[in-house]
Amino acid sequence: MSSIYILWDDSHIWGLLIQRALKAWNIDYQLVRGHQIAQGLLSSKPPKALIVPGGWAKGKAGRLGGPGILAVQRYVSEGGNYLGFCGGAGLGLSGAGGLCLTCWERKGFENRLHHFLSGHIHLNLNQDHPLVPDSLGKEALVPVWWPGQFSPQGKSPTTALGRYGEPGPDFWVADLCVGSLPEGTLSDWENLYGISLMPKFLQDRPAVVSGEFGKGRFILSYPHLETPASPQANTWLSHILDQMQNEPHTKRPPVPAWELADTPVLWNDPALTAVRKSMETIIATGQGHFLLFWRNPWLLGWRRGIPGAALNSLYALLCEVTSLEPNDEALQMWSSCKDDFLRDMEIFKKGVTGYLLAERFAMTMRSLEPDTVFPKGLQEQRNALFGPPPGAGGMYAKLLSTLEEIVWVIHKD
C-alpha cells in the first residue's frame, strides 16, 4: 500500500488542518480528488488509510458521484481504513449520498442553537478499545467546530469510542463564550427567559465512533482531533494513525500552533500578494465594526449570521498558496486564470465590504428603527456573495475553487 490519502474536494480550511498535522509528524500523504477515486485510484494504488476532512458532506458526495461512493465502499470492505472528521464523518453515515459504512445516520437539529457549538469539550473515553490510547485515561479535552450528531440505528456493530461530557473553558454557543460568563449567569438566563445555552442535550451522546465494514474499518469523529495545539486531541489522532498503519506507537508532539497571519511567503507573486492583502483588509473591516474577531491565531470568530467561516477558509487558502513553491503546472494555471481571478476578487472585495457595512448599519438601526434595514435584503446580499448555507456558492465559490485547485496541482507532485 502507498501513502495516506486525503480527500481534497470540499475540504476548505479543514483539509489544511489535517495536512498540517501529517506534515508536522513526517507522515507520508497525498491529496486526492473525487474524480480520481471514481476512476479507480483506491484499487490501483490502495492507501493505508483514506482521510476525509471536515466540510460539507453533500458536496463531497457530489464530487465522488455514484462510482466514487462505490469505490470507497469497495476499498474499505476489502480491508481499507476510513477516517472521517465532522463533514467526513457525516459522509460515512447512512442516508442520501452517504457511504453507508454504518447503518447509523446523521441526527437532525430540533433547535438550530444545537448546531452552533464550538470549542473544547470533555469526552468520556472507552478505555477498553484499542483505538483509544491508554495515556489519555478516562477523559480527554478535545475541540468541536460546529459539529453534527450521530443518530444510532438498529443493532449496528458501531462502537462509541468517546461520549460527550462537560464543556471546556473555551466553549462557545454561536457568538457567545459561555466559559467567560460569571458563575450563575446561565442559570439566571434560563430562569428569566426559559432558554438554556448549555449543551445538556449532548451529554453522553457518541462523539467518536468506529466499526467494521467488510474486512476494513471506519472511524468517524465529529471532534477535530487534528486541531493545532490541542494536545489530548493530537495524542489521540497520532494513536489512530499508528493503528491504521499497523505501526508501533510513536510518541509525537502536539500539532504546532498555526499563526495564520504570519504564514511565510515563498510564492512571491505581486498579484497573489495583493489578493492576500485584500482579504486582510476585508477581515480588518469586519473587526473594526464588531462583526469579526480572531478567536485564536488560525480561527476567526463572528457575530451570528456573518459568513466568517467562508472568509476564514478563503484567507487560509490564500496563505497556503503563497507559502508554497509553485511548480510549472501551477505557474501555468495561475497565468491562465490570474486576470479573471483578480477581477472577481475586486468585485468580491467591494461586495463583501458593502455587505459588512450594511450588517453594521442594521445592528445600529435595529433598536432605533427596526424596519430601516430588511433582513431579507441582507440575506440576498450574503447569498449572492457566498451562496445559501451550508454549501459554498456565489463569487466565494469561484475564488475558493481556484485556490483549492492550485494547492492540489502543487501537492500532487
Side-chain angles (χ1 to χ4, degrees), residues 208-277:
V208 184
V209 303
S210 182
E212 295 180 354
F213 183 80
K215 297 178 182 178
R217 172 173 55 186
F218 62 85
I219 303 163
L220 311 178
S221 175
Y222 277 117
H224 281 272
L225 306 182
E226 78 284 24
T227 296
S230 184
Q232 293 183 328
N234 300 161
T235 293
W236 197 354
L237 174 60
S238 175
H239 178 80
I240 288 172
L241 293 172
D242 287 339
Q243 290 281 310
M244 291 192 304
Q245 297 179 96
N246 293 318
E247 293 182 354
H249 169 66
T250 303
K251 186 174 177 57
R252 301 183 178 96
V255 177
W258 189 10
E259 302 285 342
L260 189 53
D262 295 333
T263 304
V265 175
L266 296 182
W267 188 351
N268 199 6
D269 179 276
L272 283 172
T273 300
V275 171
R276 181 166 162 173
K277 287 181 178 177

Side-chain angles (χ1 to χ4, degrees), residues 119-169:
H120 282 74
I121 189 168
H122 295 275
L123 296 191
N124 300 312
L125 303 179
N126 181 350
Q127 293 180 281
D128 297 328
H129 201 286
L131 286 170
V132 179
D134 294 336
S135 60
L136 290 179
K138 297 180 180 179
E139 187 179 271
L141 186 64
V142 302
V144 292
W145 305 116
W146 310 280
Q149 294 182 52
F150 295 112
S151 177
Q153 301 291 323
K155 296 183 178 180
S156 168
T158 300
T159 301
L161 306 181
R163 294 179 177 273
Y164 289 114
E166 294 296 319

Side-chain angles (χ1 to χ4, degrees), residues 276-291:
R276 181 166 162 173
K277 287 181 178 177
S278 290
M279 277 305 306
E280 289 168 351
T281 299
I282 290 171
I283 292 170
T285 298
Q287 288 180 279
H289 291 281
F290 314 108
L291 303 172

Side-chain angles (χ1 to χ4, degrees), residues 100-120:
C100 301
L101 301 179
T102 169
C103 68
W104 284 24
E105 299 175 354
R106 188 176 187 271
K107 180 178 171 60
F109 292 103
E110 298 173 3
N111 181 339
R112 291 304 297 168
L113 269 179
H114 292 176
H115 184 53
F116 303 134
L117 308 176
S118 60
H120 282 74

Side-chain angles (χ1 to χ4, degrees), residues 19 36 96 99 112 124 127 144 176 186 256 296 334 394 406 410:
Q19 186 186 183
Q36 292 178 293
L99 294 170
R112 291 304 297 168
N124 300 312
Q127 293 180 281
V144 292
L176 184 65
L186 292 176
N296 60 46
W334 177 238
I406 292 174
I410 294 174

Side-chain angles (χ1 to χ4, degrees), residues 166-187:
E166 294 296 319
D170 66 340
F171 198 80
W172 290 60
V173 176
D175 55 8
L176 184 65
C177 182
V178 296
S180 69
L181 298 173
E183 186 176 355
T185 301
L186 292 176
S187 298

